[in-house]
Amino acid sequence: MEDRLSEILSPYKGKRDALIPILQKVQAELGYLPDEAMLEIARVTGLPESRVFAVASFYAQFRFTPRGKHSFMVCRGTACHVRGAEKILEETERSLGIVEGETTEDKEYTLETVACIGCCALAPCVMIDEDVEAKLTPKMVSEIIDRRKAQ
Amino acid sequence: MTMTFADIQKQAQEEWDALQKGKAPQIAVGTATCGRSAGAMAVVKAFEDELAQKNITAHIREVGCSGPCYAEPLVNIDKPGKPTISYKNVNPDMVTEIIDAYLLGDDPLPQYTLGSFGEGKIKGVTRFLDTPSFKPQERRVFRNCGIIDPTNITHYIANQGYEGLHKALTTMTQQDVVDEMKASGLRGRGGGGFPAGRKWEAGLAAKGTPKYVVCNADEGDPGAFMDRAVIEGDPHSVLEGMIIAGYTIGAETGYIYVRAEYPLAIRRLERAIAQAHEKGFLGKNIMGTNFNFEIKIFPGAGAFVCGESTALTLSIEGKRGMPRVAPRPRTTEIGLYDKPTLLNNVKSFSSAPMIITKGAEWFASVGTEKSTGTAIFALTGAVNNCGLIEVPMGITLREIIYDIGGGVPDGAEFKAVQTGGPSGGCLPASLLDTPIDYDSLDEAGSIMGSGGMVVMDEKTCMVDVARYFLDFTEIESCGQCVPCRLGTKQLLEILKEICKGKGRKEDLDLLYELSLAVHGGSVCGLGQTAANPVLTTLRYFKDEYEAHIFEKRCPAKVCKSLISFVIREDKCKGCGICAKSCPVSAISGEKKKVHVVDQSVCVQCGVCQEKCPAKFSAVDCVSPRVKVEAAAETETS
């Protein structure tokens, strides 16, 4: 990981105001922000470690624990909420056997919620990696999960 | 040798005309995020495969969102000499049928169409613009969305694109542009409604260099996605507006702060910026003048508060997005890197080129006196025609929901409409005739906001809605000021208790007082407006709060602690489906005998009601809760 990290960080030496793009890039490469990466970012940019952690923990995008292979995001936007997002989340939790914020034991899925993915007209919806599944019912959710598990 | 703008325009026009007036049919598929979610990419592939296989010459182009999301995937087909036909909810199987019937034959398959537009009439197909859904609309910001290929700059140029920039750079002074913007009456489309012209004037007058132009595309309101649609469908209009703004205030750098959750929008912007460079509309000596301008993209990292201008600029600097504390300088004076910064929303920038090209008078020709131009809404929730709409300011909520939106589905009754997202409010049926403009909505207790409009029917609990929004703002509060950080938390706690049936009668006054304190004491707009959902639901739907508190009843049957599922003896046929699907095994009963829900085990998930075959519909949801029988309790104890 050290080599990859220094490769990612090499163009950013001393670039303090690039902190957010750096965090995004490291996370895109490593899947999350491990402690050693955070310390290395501080060293390379010359920012205090506290500042790097302060910024990373402020934004919802950044995470400090490894994730499953796929992300399963249930949208909780207003339109989804009034069209039953709560039930979609419950069914997903039941079908995956985990609750929001957790990762399945086989490390396949991490279940998260998102404030809105902007597919409000197709509510309720979920986003699996970059694909959106729209106009869902709890039944469809369990079918989608069963289908994916079978593959 | 570089081409003059006139040459570029001429070339673009020829290319566009060849497409529009050529002999080959054109097939335009909406492939913005909403179209893709509905399966548009499979439709594109089906057209490509089928056309190749049948050896048909036709132009396929991917276009942005044209608005009616409920009809996605949407395909527009242009046959030479005929009006354009819009096909709705197209899937790959229908592609074969459409090609065989309409491209090879002459049957337009009216049952698959949403309508036609353009001159002429096709038998059996409704003319779009005559329908109640489209008639009141006025497409200005959306002028190109769904029509041009957003990845092709020549399409934009052929539709008056970059003409405004050319006009500003070659015939207008910086002050002329400011005057035109002021005369247009355009108010900030991010929701604040501050007059854009005055902001541009302040940007021009501000001392200090360098200056910056920042486009706010951090569309974080749940329920709003119009900024994404504009960027995905017509990215150059945003760039052109920003370049004009740069010229006007004397800036050489622009930033677009766009949500990282919008990957397609970011790709479209990157491509558009590269194309604008190639044509000489960005970079050094733009259009042969001595004006230089660059645009950078900054993907936001997910913080709703960064929609606030001072927080947004701090975020670009790589800091926590915490709004600056009073005395807050104007961003036009002290903004990004403490330099003068002109910050506007996507739709404001996208409006600027039209104002320069067609003039302030044209812009102000629709709308009301104090809110000129058009408003864009993401109309969603309990409404038949969900999607993005663009309407003249001053239209009423009723016209939007019933004419354009086609009313509430399944014969349900309208209850409320929520505008302005977490900073807005819920308005009841009695206010449906409120005209849409900044001031009328403000007066009603809501706000225009960035344009989310969520319709709610009788199945929506208004206390739960208030709780839902506070849940959002409590998480999104940046935490620096006490009224917002603790106030939203307390509001949320009280609302949660009420939803749980543990509300006390003094909670109503407490909610009201606390809301005013959060409103008056918070540093930034997030906190100042956070209580709006509470205040408006208290004002217009107090009866629902009272039902929760005094009768332990949720009228909409949403709040789990206040509902029970019961199986009706007269309808249950004992099929056993409910018992099998109950996740907590709360249902028992012999085959072909009436089943019973054990209320002490039931978790109110509603699966039984959903799974009970429609022909029986034997599961009822009731509120208040049915009492758990005393006998059962003594047995377990």
Side-chain angles (χ1 to χ4, degrees):
Chain A
M1 184 164 80
E2 239 166 73
D3 289 350
R4 264 173 83 197
L5 204 54
S6 53
E7 198 189 310
I8 303 166
L9 295 179
S10 64
Y12 294 107
K13 202 162 177 352
K15 291 205 170 160
R16 290 161 159 246
D17 61 352
L19 180 55
I20 292 172
I22 293 173
L23 292 166
Q24 285 169 332
K25 201 145 185 207
V26 172
Q27 180 163 291
E29 288 284 326
L30 305 179
Y32 72 112
L33 298 170
D35 280 358
E36 56 253 61
M38 297 289 284
L39 300 178
E40 188 60 18
I41 291 169
R43 206 185 56 78
V44 171
T45 53
L47 286 165
E49 289 158 13
S50 59
R51 170 77 184 281
V52 177
F53 277 96
V55 170
S57 59
F58 184 82
Y59 296 96
Q61 192 189 4
F62 301 119
R63 39 194 195 234
F64 304 102
T65 48
R67 298 283 133 152
K69 219 157 70 193
H70 303 285
S71 101
F72 201 114
M73 267 205 279
V74 179
C75 180
R76 300 183 100 162
T78 320
C80 287
H81 180 77
V82 304
R83 287 201 167 184
E86 204 77 13
K87 285 190 172 156
I88 300 295
L89 178 62
E90 281 168 18
E91 184 57 48
T92 312
E93 291 182 333
R94 257 199 303 277
S95 296
L96 288 177
I98 48 173
V99 297
E100 184 193 343
E102 291 183 340
T103 301
T104 51
E105 230 164 69
D106 59 5
K107 302 275 180 253
E108 280 291 307
Y109 293 98
T110 297
L111 174 59
E112 288 168 311
T113 59
V114 57
C116 183
I117 52 176
C119 290
C120 316
L122 306 167
C125 51
V126 302
M127 195 166 171
I128 308 171
D129 297 329
E130 279 204 10
D131 296 327
V132 177
E133 298 279 352
K135 291 188 182 170
L136 293 172
T137 61
K139 198 165 156 220
M140 285 162 74
V141 172
S142 60
E143 283 165 6
I144 289 167
I145 293 171
D146 287 346
R147 203 167 57 230
R148 293 181 65 106
K149 276 183 182 164
Q151 273 173 7
Chain B
M1 208 196 91
T2 48
M3 288 166 77
T4 64
F5 183 65
D7 291 338
I8 293 174
Q9 262 188 321
K10 188 164 165 260
Q11 202 180 50
Q13 196 63 49
E14 282 166 7
E15 198 180 305
W16 182 250
D17 287 348
L19 192 65
Q20 296 302 311
K21 294 171 188 161
K23 289 208 176 81
Q26 303 170 62
I27 300 160
V29 187
T31 58
T33 297
C34 34
R36 286 172 189 230
S37 312
M41 295 317 285
V43 171
V44 173
K45 180 145 193 323
F47 268 110
E48 284 169 351
D49 292 350
E50 197 84 359
L51 291 175
Q53 202 196 341
K54 295 190 166 136
N55 214 359
I56 304 168
T57 314
H59 298 291
I60 302 177
R61 73 171 182 275
E62 292 182 31
V63 298
C65 172
S66 51
C69 303
Y70 62 95
E72 295 281 7
L74 204 62
V75 177
N76 287 348
I77 298 189
D78 257 317
K79 266 172 80 168
K82 304 257 184 178
T84 307
I85 298 185
S86 250
Y87 290 94
K88 61 182 175 185
N89 304 117
V90 179
N91 61 43
D93 292 337
M94 286 159 68
V95 168
T96 317
E97 250 184 287
I98 293 171
I99 289 179
D100 290 345
Y102 188 55
L103 282 189
L104 293 174
D106 208 26
D107 175 7
L109 298 171
Q111 71 275 24
Y112 291 162
T113 63
L114 184 67
S116 72
F117 53 92
E119 274 171 40
K121 164 124 186 66
I122 294 176
K123 197 167 172 253
V125 182
T126 345
R127 279 172 55 97
F128 241 10
L129 303 174
D130 296 342
T131 63
S133 188
F134 284 87
K135 212 170 183 178
Q137 298 205 44
E138 169 91 25
R139 295 175 71 83
R140 290 184 164 193
V141 172
F142 279 146
R143 58 197 179 275
N144 291 323
C145 290
I147 294 168
I148 65 167
D149 174 353
T151 64
N152 188 340
I153 191 172
T154 53
H155 284 193
Y156 180 67
I157 297 169
N159 287 280
Q160 288 194 300
Y162 290 104
E163 210 176 296
L165 175 64
H166 185 255
K167 184 174 172 187
L169 287 182
T170 55
T171 67
M172 296 168 84
T173 64
Q174 291 164 300
Q175 188 60 48
D176 287 343
V177 180
V178 165
D179 292 343
E180 199 70 34
M181 290 297 287
K182 277 172 80 177
S184 75
L186 173 69
R187 293 171 68 170
R189 292 298 193 247
F194 188 81
R198 270 172 53 201
K199 217 187 224 183
W200 288 39
E201 185 170 50
L204 171 59
K207 299 272 179 283
T209 50
K211 294 180 180 179
Y212 295 102
V213 171
V214 176
C215 173
N216 184 352
D218 187 36
E219 192 171 45
D221 285 34
F225 52 102
M226 54 286 287
D227 291 351
R228 188 197 67 202
V230 172
I231 293 174
E232 287 179 352
D234 196 14
H236 285 285
S237 68
V238 183
L239 301 188
E240 187 183 355
M242 289 179 71
I243 306 168
I244 294 171
Y247 164 72
T248 309
I249 68 160
E252 296 203 337
T253 311
Y255 284 90
I256 304 178
Y257 190 98
V258 54
R259 282 182 81 186
E261 287 96 335
Y262 287 174
L264 181 64
I266 294 175
R267 287 203 294 276
R268 292 269 155 92
L269 282 172
E270 285 168 344
R271 184 154 179 170
I273 289 172
Q275 291 172 337
H277 262 283
E278 276 167 31
K279 297 279 180 202
F281 304 156
L282 275 174
K284 299 261 178 230
N285 302 109
I286 294 170
M287 292 182 173
T289 66
N290 56 9
F291 168 59
N292 311 321
F293 197 71
E294 296 288 349
I295 294 179
K296 298 173 186 170
I297 300 169
F298 191 95
F304 176 67
V305 70
C306 287
E308 202 273 350
S309 56
T310 61
L312 188 150
T313 53
L314 288 171
S315 180
I316 295 179
E317 294 172 26
K319 298 172 185 157
R320 286 163 77 97
M322 293 163 69
R324 291 177 193 253
V325 184
R328 280 148 53 83
R330 287 206 185 280
T331 307
T332 40
E333 280 154 25
I334 300 178
L336 185 59
Y337 299 112
D338 292 340
K339 298 293 180 188
T341 301
L342 175 63
L343 189 144
N344 273 138
N345 170 268
V346 170
K347 297 173 293 280
S348 306
F349 281 123
S350 176
S351 299
M354 305 188 268
I355 293 170
I356 301 303
T357 312
K358 299 188 176 181
E361 207 173 306
W362 170 83
F363 184 84
S365 66
V366 299
T368 66
E369 196 194 329
K370 285 187 177 160
S371 302
T372 55
T374 55
I376 292 181
F377 290 101
L379 182 61
T380 62
V383 63
N384 278 310
N385 306 337
C386 284
L388 289 174
I389 59 164
E390 182 168 5
V391 289
M393 294 272 189
I395 192 172
T396 65
L397 285 165
R398 187 184 302 281
E399 285 171 277
I400 291 182
I401 295 164
Y402 286 92
D403 294 345
I404 299 176
V408 182
D410 308 325
E413 203 172 314
F414 170 90
K415 186 189 269 184
V417 55
Q418 210 280 343
T419 67
S423 310
C426 298
L427 305 179
S430 60
L431 291 177
L432 275 174
D433 292 309
T434 305
I436 293 291
D437 60 65
Y438 292 95
D439 311 300
S440 309
L441 282 176
D442 200 41
E443 211 169 288
S446 190
I447 60 164
M448 183 83 108
S450 67
M453 186 179 279
V454 186
V455 180
M456 299 168 181
D457 64 9
E458 60 208 21
K459 293 193 283 293
T460 309
C461 167
M462 301 315 289
V463 185
D464 175 68
V465 164
R467 180 202 59 79
Y468 164 80
F469 280 116
L470 261 297
D471 208 21
F472 179 84
T473 33
E474 192 253 346
I475 292 171
E476 296 296 340
S477 168
C478 81
Q480 69 173 327
C481 73
V482 176
C484 177
R485 183 179 71 233
L486 297 182
T488 54
K489 193 171 177 59
Q490 281 311 312
L491 284 173
L492 176 62
E493 288 305 319
I494 298 168
L495 291 166
K496 275 183 177 169
E497 290 296 294
I498 297 176
C499 289
K500 277 190 207 147
K502 293 180 186 161
R504 305 160 306 166
K505 78 173 190 311
E506 58 269 32
D507 283 346
L508 289 174
D509 289 338
L510 190 57
L511 276 177
Y512 184 71
E513 275 172 40
L514 196 50
S515 292
L516 295 186
V518 174
H519 169 73
S522 298
V523 163
C524 80
L526 187 146
Q528 287 156 12
T529 57
N532 277 350
V534 183
L535 287 170
T536 49
T537 47
L538 273 176
R539 181 163 154 193
Y540 300 120
F541 302 96
K542 199 168 185 181
D543 55 326
E544 290 200 31
Y545 281 89
E546 287 166 348
H548 282 72
I549 294 173
F550 302 116
E551 300 165 40
K552 307 297 171 204
R553 181 172 67 88
C554 174
K557 296 171 186 165
V558 169
C559 297
K560 281 192 172 173
S561 306
L562 303 178
I563 56 170
S564 297
F565 287 92
V566 290
I567 297 172
R568 289 178 57 158
E569 286 175 29
D570 58 330
K571 289 191 171 177
C572 179
K573 297 282 183 270
C575 71
I577 291 177
C578 57
K580 262 188 245 131
S581 49
C582 176
V584 292
S585 306
I587 302 176
S588 57
E590 284 171 46
K591 198 107 189 121
K592 301 208 171 149
K593 295 247 172 76
V594 173
H595 282 48
V596 187
V597 181
D598 182 347
Q599 299 297 344
S600 64
V601 178
C602 176
V603 291
Q604 290 81 38
C605 69
V607 168
C608 51
Q609 190 178 42
E610 197 191 317
K611 296 273 167 89
C612 180
K615 57 184 172 187
F616 306 142
S617 299
V619 182
D620 271 358
C621 179
V622 297
S623 183
R625 272 193 168 177
V626 295
K627 295 218 166 46
V628 178
E629 277 175 38
E633 274 184 1
T634 42
E635 232 169 72
T636 50
S637 59

